[in-house]
Amino acid sequence: SAERTLSIIKPNAVKKRLIGKIEERLVQAKLDIIAMKMVHLTKEQAEGFYAEHQGKPFFDGLVRFMTSGPVVVQVLTGENAICRYREVMGATDLAKALAGTLRYDFADSITENAVHGSDSPQSAEREIAYFFADDEIFD
Ligand code: CMP
């Protein structure tokens, strides 16, 4: 069924001028953009977004990275959008990402992995509401 998922184009990908290339992959995968904004996250915003990872060894580095420059936050929609976007992204760890995925092509490290996508319907709902009001989403 049609789902929504939250995508973030992370600071390393924005810096390397990869926004257009990433958007092209979304079009190819028939993932439609129904909301988008560019934002430079504050420390508090990044910590809140990644609250489930608080206390993990990579948390401080993750927050430092995610606040190092602007990101592009988007809501994507399509059939099985959550799972399909995760396929388009590839594994979190670029060493495990399949050829042709966004992370295989654009990640710099496991932390600087170019993109984020929601991992379940519950997290998609929370993550979309974290960044977008209902009237900023165009179905
Ligand atoms: P993301 O999908 O945004 O979710 C959590 C992020 O933490 C992940 O992508 C990476 O950017 C970062 N991260 C860094 N190290 C790890 C790790 N060992 N396992 C999972 N995520 C990590």
Side-chain angles (χ1 to χ4, degrees), residues 6-46:
L6 185 90
S7 161
I8 303 179
I9 302 177
K10 296 188 179 185
N12 63 318
V14 173
K15 277 195 191 97
K16 291 195 293 178
R17 303 185 170 89
L18 293 169
I19 296 171
K21 288 204 167 103
I22 292 170
E23 301 301 8
E24 229 169 86
R25 303 275 182 102
L26 301 181
V27 173
Q28 282 166 9
K30 294 195 162 65
L31 290 164
D32 289 319
I33 301 160
I34 55 173
M36 98 175 351
K37 61 176 76 166
M38 194 174 219
V39 3
H40 193 146
L41 298 177
T42 64
K43 185 164 179 277
E44 290 67 34
Q45 279 177 311

Side-chain angles (χ1 to χ4, degrees), residues 8 10 49-50 53 56 58-59 62 65-66 86 89 92-93 103 109-117:
I8 303 179
K10 296 188 179 185
F49 183 77
Y50 283 119
H53 296 299
K56 292 186 185 166
F58 60 81
F59 185 75
L62 173 62
F65 165 57
M66 290 300 292
R86 293 180 73 77
M89 288 192 298
T92 303
D93 182 356
R103 281 158 171 172
S109 69
I110 189 168
T111 295
E112 303 202 6
N113 62 355
V115 284
H116 166 85

Side-chain angles (χ1 to χ4, degrees), residues 41-117:
L41 298 177
T42 64
K43 185 164 179 277
E44 290 67 34
Q45 279 177 311
E47 287 173 347
F49 183 77
Y50 283 119
E52 66 176 298
H53 296 299
Q54 204 126 30
K56 292 186 185 166
F58 60 81
F59 185 75
D60 290 353
L62 173 62
V63 170
R64 212 173 315 119
F65 165 57
M66 290 300 292
T67 57
S68 67
V71 299
V72 175
V73 189
Q74 296 176 301
V75 180
L76 310 179
T77 191
E79 282 293 305
N80 297 313
I82 295 169
C83 179
R84 286 203 302 110
Y85 186 47
R86 293 180 73 77
E87 286 171 8
V88 170
M89 288 192 298
T92 303
D93 182 356
L94 87 149
K96 293 175 188 149
L98 298 178
T101 60
L102 290 171
R103 281 158 171 172
Y104 182 92
D105 289 334
F106 304 137
D108 294 302
S109 69
I110 189 168
T111 295
E112 303 202 6
N113 62 355
V115 284
H116 166 85

